[in-house]
Amino acid sequence: MKKRIGVYILLVFVLLGSCMNETNDDGLPGGPSDYVVLLAIDEDSIDNGSAPNNFSETDVNDQIAAVGLRQQLKFFAENKGKTITLYTGEVGDEGWFALNTIPNKWINAGPTDNGARNYLTPGPGLGTPNIDDDREVLLDEIQNVTPLRATGLKMLVGYKVLAMVYDSDISINYSPLEGNMQGANLGMVAFEILSVSERTDGSDGSLPAVSIKILSVTELSNFGLALFSNVPIPQSSSEPFDVVPTTSVVSPVFTVAN
């Protein structure tokens, strides 16, 4: 089932730290605290006029939205340190997404030999024109773009995020799991996830509310990039019907985004 891409906030989770000469159990040189985790968020979480924040158009860069926009969202740039709540969509219409793997075509696109960095730059076909003047040719049928439901969101409490935001809905196919990451961007955001709680003011399918602390995209952009490698993978657009965060979850596992 396909869900058309939108305000795809490519969310990048950060785990602050030091010690770059060691490797921890996750295989991250220096440990998780040196990294940010790469995610995406769409219009079901961040958009102008949407609850619970009712952002204005200028708050979320809607008036300048464009394919390849990497500017920090205005509200987030002006409110570093502020705590706000974001909704995360509905089962089958999720607002937050993780990438399990980086496609080889992103690595080959340039301008670097790191596919995740090329996406964030953006490189040719990843937001800027390629030789055929196509800005989005490398952004469709991206494997392992995984919608986050309650368990996946809860696993990321305490981690910091750098995210790409899209100006519409993110389109997801199942069996095989892949996403369409084309479409205009609102830009990027950075934050730390403070808590994840059940929505009591929505529908039966409403995914949790997430409390975040706003951080600086610029300050986090020099951290390593990590992928949420053990993110729970939904079987379909409706299963599992995972809307209530449990008290305890397994620890997240991260790998280097290359």
Side-chain angles (χ1 to χ4, degrees):
M1 179 169 182
K2 199 161 187 176
K3 184 172 94 82
R4 178 60 204 168
I5 183 170
V7 48
Y8 184 110
I9 282 183
L10 187 74
L11 307 167
V12 184
F13 274 81
V14 179
L15 307 77
L16 295 176
S18 50
C19 247
M20 292 299 289
N21 58 348
E22 299 179 0
T23 299
N24 75 339
D25 292 339
D26 292 321
L28 298 178
S33 56
D34 294 307
Y35 288 79
V36 297
V37 181
L38 189 60
L39 299 181
I41 298 175
D42 75 11
E43 65 178 354
D44 295 299
S45 183
I46 297 179
D47 198 10
N48 55 291
S50 296
N53 299 288
N54 296 310
F55 293 124
S56 69
E57 290 186 359
T58 55
D59 281 339
V60 297
N61 296 351
D62 187 71
Q63 82 285 4
I64 57 172
V67 173
L69 181 67
R70 299 296 184 260
Q71 183 174 316
Q72 187 171 5
L73 272 63
K74 182 174 182 290
F75 180 89
F76 286 72
E78 295 177 350
N79 287 278
K80 178 184 173 182
K82 184 179 178 66
T83 297
I84 65 170
T85 296
L86 295 175
Y87 292 161
T88 58
E90 306 273 331
V91 172
D93 191 19
E94 294 82 6
W96 290 31
F97 304 82
L99 280 77
N100 288 21
T101 56
I102 298 298
N104 285 332
K105 60 185 178 182
W106 287 14
I107 299 172
N108 297 332
T112 76
D113 60 0
N114 184 292
R117 296 279 181 196
N118 293 340
Y119 174 76
L120 296 175
T121 299
L126 295 171
T128 56
N130 66 359
I131 192 171
D132 298 316
D133 199 33
D134 191 333
R135 292 175 175 268
E136 302 181 283
V137 66
L138 302 181
L139 293 172
D140 194 11
E141 299 181 347
I142 306 304
Q143 294 183 354
N144 303 319
V145 177
T146 307
L148 293 179
R149 297 178 185 169
T151 300
L153 293 167
K154 183 63 179 287
M155 290 169 69
L156 292 170
V157 170
Y159 294 96
K160 294 181 177 64
V161 176
L162 174 64
M164 185 73 64
V165 184
Y166 279 75
D167 191 26
S168 55
D169 216 19
I170 292 176
S171 178
I172 296 294
N173 285 330
Y174 295 85
S175 300
L177 183 66
E178 60 183 27
N180 180 340
M181 299 173 68
Q182 296 176 328
N185 304 113
L186 296 178
M188 299 176 68
V189 294
F191 53 84
E192 179 181 359
I193 296 182
L194 303 178
S195 65
V196 174
S197 57
E198 180 182 3
R199 282 277 306 276
T200 58
D201 57 349
S203 69
D204 290 343
S206 292
L207 292 166
V210 177
S211 175
I212 66 167
K213 178 182 178 181
I214 296 173
L215 302 174
S216 166
V217 168
T218 302
E219 291 177 4
L220 298 186
S221 62
N222 291 325
F223 282 79
L225 297 174
L227 305 179
F228 184 9
S229 63
N230 68 333
V231 56
I233 299 175
Q235 289 80 49
S236 71
S237 60
S238 58
E239 295 295 333
F241 200 75
D242 180 17
V243 298
V244 180
T246 58
T247 302
S248 61
V249 292
V250 300
S251 297
V253 175
F254 303 105
T255 56
V256 176
N258 55 20

